[in-house]
Amino acid sequence: MKVRFWGTRGSIPVSLTAPQIRRKLIAALSGSVGRSLDTSEAIERYVDEELGFDVRGTFGGHSSCVELDTGGAEHVVFDMGSGARPLGQSFLQRYGAGAPQTYHVFMSHVHWDHIMGFPFFAPVYIPGNRIVIHGCHAVLEEAFRRQQAAPSFPVDFSQLAATIEFDRLEPGKPHAIAGLAITPKLQRHEGDSYGYRVQAQGKSLVYTTDSEHKVGDVDERAAFIEFFRDADVVIFDAMYALADAISVKADWGHSSNIVGVELCQAARVRCLCMYHHEPAYDDQRIAQVLQETRRFEEITRDGHRLEVISAYDGLELDL
Ligand SMILES: [Zn+2]
Ligand SMILES: [Zn+2]
């Protein structure tokens, strides 16, 4: 199975600006002075091996959208943030418009940054496609319909050509969908959010975003450790660096890098993937948070090595 990240930014999409790209170019060219970069291979090696990701890349601008490619006939997606637009294009390229597909979308919640990509997800306009939107919120369908209602959007939900179904899931129970065993879990967030634990083909993945963890709540902590237990990958809301999370941004409904490490260490998780990046953080800041988080994992390690990565649009993980 493969996990593909199409949108990794929290709260609102962001785009790189011309001054930011200029800074990256200047940093890259400054670092190349005195090197003999006279072949394309040498240039590629320099870019890939010598430059930091914050210079050669970007952590991405689209809001929450992650694809789980199971290799099966039915497709699995978590959240419909603005990353759903390039994901829809990718599905069209892979399967064409003439071959109807089934898509299962699992919604963490219906805040705007998690549904805004749906009207731009091209498969909704193609007759024969079946799109099942799964979630635990009573307002699931209403939220999707409302964002396309006049005067906010030119195409009403009722005009979409695909067959769209809503499936209300019960939290705390495994559901058998698209060849997966998938269990939703209630999380602390304004209006509630739900994380998902997926078991399939001997692997486990946890998608847990927009979730605040109260460090002192022992029962809650134990429940999340159980939910994360031995997972191969945990995609975790690490929107804030810890200092922000416990001071100014307490009760903003998000978590931090440090809480992510502590929970994943206790649960013996293989890889922590930080996700839902703060829109005010630039690439340098996110790279710095990643470095600090890896250092924190190292010095608090207790016989179990936890790999720590930071999600970006375009990242692909093998499960
Ligand atoms: Zn969000
Ligand atoms: Zn939210």
Side-chain angles (χ1 to χ4, degrees):
M1 294 195 291
K2 276 187 195 311
V3 183
R4 292 192 194 96
F5 292 82
W6 296 91
T8 55
R9 188 66 65 159
S11 301
I12 190 165
V14 295
S15 61
L16 279 178
T17 62
Q20 287 171 326
I21 290 173
R22 182 173 177 273
R23 277 202 294 278
K24 286 175 191 282
L25 286 171
I26 290 172
L29 291 168
S30 303
S32 73
V33 172
R35 294 167 184 267
S36 58
L37 299 178
D38 45 8
T39 63
S40 54
E41 290 78 19
I43 293 170
E44 280 188 34
R45 216 170 26 247
Y46 168 66
V47 169
D48 294 340
E49 294 169 15
E50 302 292 327
L51 297 180
F53 184 76
D54 57 321
V55 175
R56 83 178 127 86
T58 182
F59 285 96
H62 278 301
S63 69
S64 300
C65 184
V66 174
E67 174 193 2
L68 174 62
D69 187 342
T70 65
E74 303 191 337
H75 312 298
V76 176
V77 182
F78 295 95
D79 281 334
M80 279 276 129
S82 69
R85 190 194 58 76
L87 172 58
Q89 297 306 317
S90 168
F91 278 134
L92 282 190
Q93 273 166 14
R94 282 183 251 171
Y95 305 106
Q101 304 288 314
T102 296
Y103 300 90
H104 293 277
V105 179
F106 294 91
M107 295 299 304
S108 62
H109 63 316
V110 292
H111 279 166
W112 191 34
D113 54 319
H114 297 256
I115 62 171
M116 57 166 54
F118 185 77
F120 300 92
F121 183 61
V124 302
Y125 296 97
I126 297 168
N129 279 340
R130 175 174 172 243
I131 296 162
V132 189
I133 302 175
H134 306 270
C136 302
H137 290 78
V139 294
L140 193 61
E141 179 165 356
E142 185 194 342
F144 276 86
R145 287 185 176 275
R146 211 164 52 182
Q147 79 164 341
Q148 286 186 241
S152 300
F153 199 76
V155 184
D156 191 75
F157 188 94
S158 60
Q159 293 171 268
L160 299 177
T163 303
I164 299 166
E165 300 162 26
F166 288 88
D167 175 35
R168 184 99 180 265
L169 299 176
E170 197 181 327
K173 292 222 164 109
H175 301 263
I177 298 166
L180 311 170
I182 183 160
T183 308
K185 180 181 186 333
L186 176 64
Q187 307 177 134
R188 189 187 293 272
H189 194 64
E190 181 58 44
D192 293 341
S193 72
Y194 294 86
Y196 292 95
R197 183 184 173 105
V198 175
Q199 300 279 146
Q201 303 170 24
K203 301 287 179 183
S204 47
L205 169 76
V206 176
Y207 179 82
T208 170
T209 192
D210 297 64
S211 174
E212 183 165 3
H213 296 271
K214 290 286 179 210
V215 187
D217 189 327
V218 178
D219 292 345
E220 183 187 285
R221 181 184 147 82
F224 273 96
I225 291 171
E226 214 34 59
F227 191 57
F228 292 2
R229 177 76 63 203
D230 297 324
D232 290 286
V233 176
V234 171
I235 300 169
F236 187 84
D237 170 3
M239 187 152 170
Y240 307 132
L242 182 67
D244 282 348
I246 57 175
S247 55
V248 271
K249 289 165 182 170
D251 301 319
W252 285 24
H254 296 282
S255 191
S256 79
N257 55 334
I258 300 300
V259 173
V261 169
E262 286 178 337
L263 289 173
C264 288
Q265 277 175 333
R268 293 297 199 239
V269 168
R270 181 169 66 76
C271 175
L272 162 65
C273 180
M274 297 193 290
Y275 179 69
H276 203 273
H277 304 304
E278 159 65 50
Y281 290 177
D282 62 12
D283 288 322
Q284 244 179 333
R285 182 75 205 278
I286 296 173
Q288 185 198 344
V289 171
L290 175 60
Q291 204 178 29
E292 290 167 3
T293 313
R294 284 177 170 161
R295 179 78 190 120
F296 177 78
E297 185 279 329
E298 231 175 78
I299 59 179
T300 57
R301 196 179 292 166
D302 172 24
H304 170 80
R305 185 183 173 276
L306 170 68
E307 184 188 354
V308 180
I309 59 174
S310 208
Y312 56 87
D313 298 11
L315 172 65
E316 198 170 290
L317 297 178
D318 279 311
L319 260 188

